[in-house]
Structures are given as structure tokens and as C-alpha cells.
Amino acid sequence: MGTSSSLPPVPLQTEVTSNQYMKLAIPLMISTMTTPLLSSVDTAVVGQLTDPSYIGGVAVGSIVFNTLFWVLGFLRVSTSGFTAQAHGANNEKELYQAFIRPFMIAVFFGLAFIIFQEPIRWLSLTVIHPTTEVAEQAELYFNIRIWSSPFTLVNFVILGWLIGKSYVKSALFIQIGMNTINILLDLLFVHVFNWGVQGVAFASLLAELSAVLSGIILLLLLNKTLLNWSLFSWSDISNTSSFKKMLEVNRDLFIRSVCLLTVYTMFTSLGARMDDTTLAANAILFQIHFLLAYCFGGLSNASSILIGRSIGMKQPKLFHNILKLSAKWGIIFSVALTLSLVAGAEVIISFYTSIPQVQRLSEIYFFWLLLFPIFTFWGIQLNGVFSGATEAAPIRNSLIVSMLVFITSAAILVPIFQNHGLWASFILFSLARSISLGMYVPKLSARVFPEKTIETKYFKDTMDR
């Protein structure tokens, strides 16, 4: 990568302290945990209504969009990695391209989802196969929220670029603002206007639109690079080596997302074929699982930023320092989250639903969530490490292996143990994800630092933006 004199120099560094790591990670954790709150709040609001089919309808609709958008989650992950590396290398042109390329992809897919909404809805409901009552509510939710697709995907790119550039507080502002609007509109549309499932869908749509508008304004205020139209060039956007690298990374992350989509869809589908109460209980527990996963995702994002920066600055010592911090804080948070779940199980479940039979069933299966943080933290942490290094093939391979573990175990355990077998299969999937990706770590350093260039200059930390 070449450098650009129009950017202020990025100081070299060889070590990040635990305090510096957590100053970056905590706002990222808060920011990423707000991502599933759209669907989580939707579920909690309709969970106070009397009919379990409302929870089931929002659950099916939410899982469709959570997984549909997760397939394109590479737009945030890869944008963050490429932006962090361009920032570390002090390359203004690559910073610009790191935003423009995924932005164009986001708009394309967002519009495609709207154009092809009919077959997407049909396929989703056919695969999940909920009861008639739940399907009717899910369709009402889907028909409204599908229009948020371009806004959601563009927001992925905005957040990825801001995070990669270390504008963490700005990303946090966008996410908190979006969820505050969503909560207020949920309460207004559902409990005042009595719009039911359609109300929560409209709330999510308007909240996601507000996030994109505020994100674009922040981007333009924070970084003049994106206003420099002289940097826009079709030849640079389609540059063979850079564009090929982006496509390869995004391809591998896309396959990874498809594997996740397959697992989540199978999980929801198998639960939906039991009964509406089991579907509702699983939906609540899965929303809690998303919050846990996104909590680790905040730590993962911090690692991704710093790993990308270490590679951009050609600092293998910093790279290994960050890898150790990722493991240390991942273990600490996995234990802390598990203890928090043990202490607050009843309160957490009652937040999501007031229906007694759904509460009881949620409590029965809740213990499976206690295993999730311990078994999954390393896989999610390493996802950030490999993403920051823009080495996505190991992520892809680990998810393929883990998906096969889930499919095999579900085929064996679900017929015997029913919903317990389903949750056991999901925990085995999470464990396989950590083990299989961990096997690639020893070779990663040699791949990203073939010349073992180590700078010795220490610097003042620049992450406190």
C-alpha cells in the first residue's frame, strides 16, 4: 500500500495495554449489542400480548431478517478490516475505496431484496413451516420490514467504516439512537395505536431509516475524505488486485454467513414443528443468545480494528499482543456472562413475556444458554482476528465444519430428546466453531507477516477518539 501525504501520520505502536483494549472494546460491545435489540425489543413488546402466535410471528419474521441480513454481514466485517488496514497504512485513497465499494454492494442487494420479496417470503415460510396462525403474523411483519433492507445494509457499511477508523463513539451514537427510536415507536404503535405485529415492523423500519440518515451526516462531518470526489474513480474501484482481494474476502464471509443462516433456519424450523409454545420459548432464548453473541462481537470488533492496524503498520509484535488480549478478555467475559445468566434467569425471561406457559418452558431450556458463553467465545473472538487480517478462508472453513456438526447432531438428537436435543446440537455447533477456527491460528502470523518486519518505535495511543 502506498501512503498519502494529505492524511495525518498514524504513529507506530508495539503494544496495547488491557486498559487501552477495553477502552476500545466496551463502547463496541454496547454498540454491537444494540444490533439484535431491534428484534429483541419487538419480541418483548408483543410478548406482553395474550396470544403466543404474536411472539411466534415476530420470532419467525425476526429470524428471517436476522439471518437474511447476516448473510450480508460481511459488508460490515470486511469494511472494518479493510478500513483499519488502510488507516494503519495511512492511505487516503484506500480509505475512500474501503467505503465506496461495499456501499455500492449494499445498495444493490438492498434493492434486490425488495424486488424479490415475494419469493423470499414464500421460501422463508416454506422452510420454517410455522403453524397457520404464526405464518399469518410473520407475513404481516415481513411485508413491512422488507422495505428496510437498503437502509440496514448501508448501515452495515457505515458502521464498519466508522469502527475501522476507530470512530467508536459515533458508531455507538448511531446504534443507541436507532434502538431508542425503535423502543418508543414500538410502545406507541403497539400499545397506543394497537397495530400489533405490524406496529413493531413499522417501528423497526423507521428506526433503521433514522440510523442511515444520522450515519451519513456523521460520516460527512467526521471525515472529509468521503467528500473528496477527486478520489472517485471507476478504475480504482475495479482495481484488479484490490477489488479481487475484497471479493475473495467477501465471498468467504458470504459462505460463512450462509452456514450461519442454515443453522439458524434449521433451528427455528425444527422448533416451529413442535408447537407454538416451544417456538415462542425458543424465540426468547434465541434473542438472549443473540445478545450474548453480540457482546462477544464487541470484543471481536476491538480485536479486528487493532489486528488490522497492526498489519497496516507491519507490526507482528503488536499482532501477538492483541491476540493474547483477545483470549484473556474473552475468558473473563464468558465467565461473567454465565454468572449473570444464573443470577438473572427469571427476571430476563419475564422481560420477554408475561405468558405463564411460555415462561415455564423458557425456564426449562434456559440452562442450555449457560453453556453458550463458555463454548463459543473463542470462535467469535477469532472471527474478529481473522476479519481484521482480511483472511476469511479459515472463517469460511470453520463454519462449514461447524454447520455439518449441527446437522449431524440434530439428525441424531432431536428425534430422541426433542427440544433438548435441538439445543444440545446448537451448543455442539458453537463448540465446533471455536475448535475448528482455533486450529488455523498458528499459521496466521506467518501468512500476514511473511517478512517479520518489527518496528521498535513506541507511540502514544491514538484510539481515544
Side-chain angles (χ1 to χ4, degrees):
M1 278 187 183
T3 59
S4 172
S5 59
S6 60
L7 281 177
V10 178
L12 295 174
Q13 78 184 99
T14 56
E15 187 177 60
V16 169
T17 66
S18 285
N19 183 53
Q20 291 169 335
Y21 180 86
M22 290 310 299
K23 284 177 69 175
L24 181 64
I26 289 175
L28 284 169
M29 288 171 63
I30 298 172
S31 175
T32 53
M33 285 180 69
T34 62
T35 300
L37 277 179
L38 278 177
S39 297
S40 194
V41 169
D42 290 348
T43 302
V45 170
V46 297
Q48 307 308 313
L49 301 179
T50 57
D51 192 339
S53 68
Y54 289 124
I55 306 179
V58 171
V60 171
S62 296
I63 203 69
V64 169
F65 287 105
N66 282 342
T67 51
L68 186 66
F69 294 147
W70 207 318
V71 168
L72 294 170
F74 62 78
L75 290 171
R76 186 196 61 75
V77 176
S78 67
T79 299
S80 179
F82 283 111
T83 302
Q85 290 190 23
H87 180 50
N90 205 37
N91 191 318
E92 183 180 27
K93 183 174 288 188
E94 280 302 314
L95 269 175
Y96 184 83
Q97 300 302 333
F99 178 81
I100 293 298
R101 288 173 180 143
F103 177 84
M104 295 172 66
I105 295 174
V107 172
F108 172 81
F109 277 103
L111 295 177
F113 285 164
I114 291 175
I115 293 170
F116 296 104
Q117 61 180 281
E118 293 288 340
I120 292 173
R121 182 181 62 232
W122 175 84
L123 181 61
S124 300
L125 294 179
T126 300
V127 171
I128 297 175
H129 194 62
T131 63
T132 302
E133 293 79 7
V134 170
E136 289 175 355
Q137 298 300 322
E139 189 168 349
L140 291 174
Y141 185 89
F142 179 94
N143 290 344
I144 295 168
R145 197 173 172 194
I146 188 66
W147 293 92
S148 70
S149 299
F151 310 131
T152 301
L153 298 180
V154 168
N155 195 40
F156 283 175
V157 177
I158 292 172
L159 291 174
W161 198 89
L162 288 172
I163 290 171
K165 194 69 166 57
S166 294
Y167 291 125
V168 178
K169 293 179 182 178
S170 298
L172 179 59
F173 170 80
I174 293 172
Q175 293 294 83
I176 290 179
M178 176 178 69
N179 283 281
T180 300
I181 291 173
N182 182 58
I183 291 170
L184 295 176
L185 292 180
D186 265 344
L187 296 174
L188 176 66
F189 293 161
V190 176
H191 294 295
V192 178
F193 294 166
N194 296 316
W195 289 357
V197 169
Q198 291 173 302
V200 296
F202 271 120
S204 295
L205 168 60
L206 295 175
E208 287 164 332
L209 172 59
S210 71
V212 169
L213 294 177
S214 60
I216 291 174
I217 292 172
L218 279 172
L219 279 178
L220 298 180
L221 290 175
L222 288 170
N223 200 279
K224 302 303 180 185
T225 296
L226 299 180
L227 288 173
N228 187 355
W229 289 102
S230 65
L231 294 175
F232 184 87
S233 167
W234 282 110
S235 60
D236 286 336
I237 290 174
S238 58
N239 178 273
T240 303
S241 59
S242 298
F243 194 66
K244 182 180 178 183
K245 174 66 173 177
M246 186 199 73
L247 289 180
E248 287 177 349
V249 171
N250 286 343
R251 176 204 64 200
D252 292 336
L253 291 175
F254 174 79
I255 294 171
R256 165 253 189 191
S257 298
V258 169
C259 292
L260 284 171
L261 171 63
T262 301
V263 171
Y264 293 162
T265 301
M266 284 187 63
F267 184 96
T268 304
S269 178
L270 291 170
R273 293 173 185 176
M274 295 176 191
D275 56 74
D276 286 357
T277 305
T278 299
L279 173 62
N282 281 353
I284 289 170
L285 297 179
F286 221 65
Q287 290 299 334
I288 299 171
H289 139 268
F290 274 124
L291 290 174
L292 296 172
Y294 275 93
C295 178
F296 287 119
L299 294 173
S300 175
N301 285 340
S303 299
S304 179
I305 293 170
L306 296 172
I307 287 290
R309 193 178 298 175
S310 71
I311 293 172
M313 293 188 294
K314 296 180 170 57
Q315 286 289 317
K317 184 176 180 181
L318 175 61
F319 174 90
H320 290 290
N321 165 228
I322 296 162
L323 193 60
K324 292 177 182 177
L325 287 174
S326 296
K328 171 186 173 180
W329 285 104
I331 293 171
I332 291 173
F333 271 88
S334 66
V335 173
L337 288 172
T338 300
L339 294 176
S340 298
L341 289 173
V342 172
E346 291 185 7
V347 174
I348 294 170
I349 292 172
S350 63
F351 168 77
Y352 281 95
T353 181
S354 59
I355 302 173
Q357 62 267 36
V358 177
Q359 287 182 339
R360 285 194 296 270
L361 208 56
S362 298
E363 290 170 1
I364 290 173
Y365 298 116
F366 193 84
F367 79 93
W368 288 109
L369 283 183
L370 303 180
L371 301 177
F372 179 76
I374 303 296
F375 284 4
T376 201
F377 83 88
W378 192 225
I380 297 178
Q381 285 288 78
L382 290 180
N383 188 82
V385 169
F386 282 88
S387 297
T390 60
E391 292 290 331
I395 299 175
R396 174 201 66 200
N397 295 342
S398 69
L399 261 295
I400 291 174
V401 170
S402 303
M403 178 188 67
L404 293 176
V405 168
F406 175 82
I407 293 173
T408 303
S409 58
I412 297 171
L413 298 177
V414 172
I416 301 173
F417 301 107
Q418 296 300 305
N419 205 44
H420 281 296
L422 182 59
W423 276 102
S425 300
F426 185 73
I427 294 300
L428 288 174
F429 158 79
S430 302
L431 178 61
R433 184 179 178 186
S434 294
I435 294 174
S436 56
L437 188 53
M439 294 172 64
Y440 287 95
V441 172
K443 295 181 180 179
L444 179 62
S445 178
R447 183 170 176 82
V448 296
F449 294 112
E451 298 177 1
K452 297 291 183 182
T453 303
I454 302 179
E455 301 288 347
T456 57
K457 184 180 178 181
Y458 285 74
F459 72 97
K460 181 181 177 181
D461 178 58
T462 60
M463 295 182 296
D464 298 332
R465 264 181 219 211

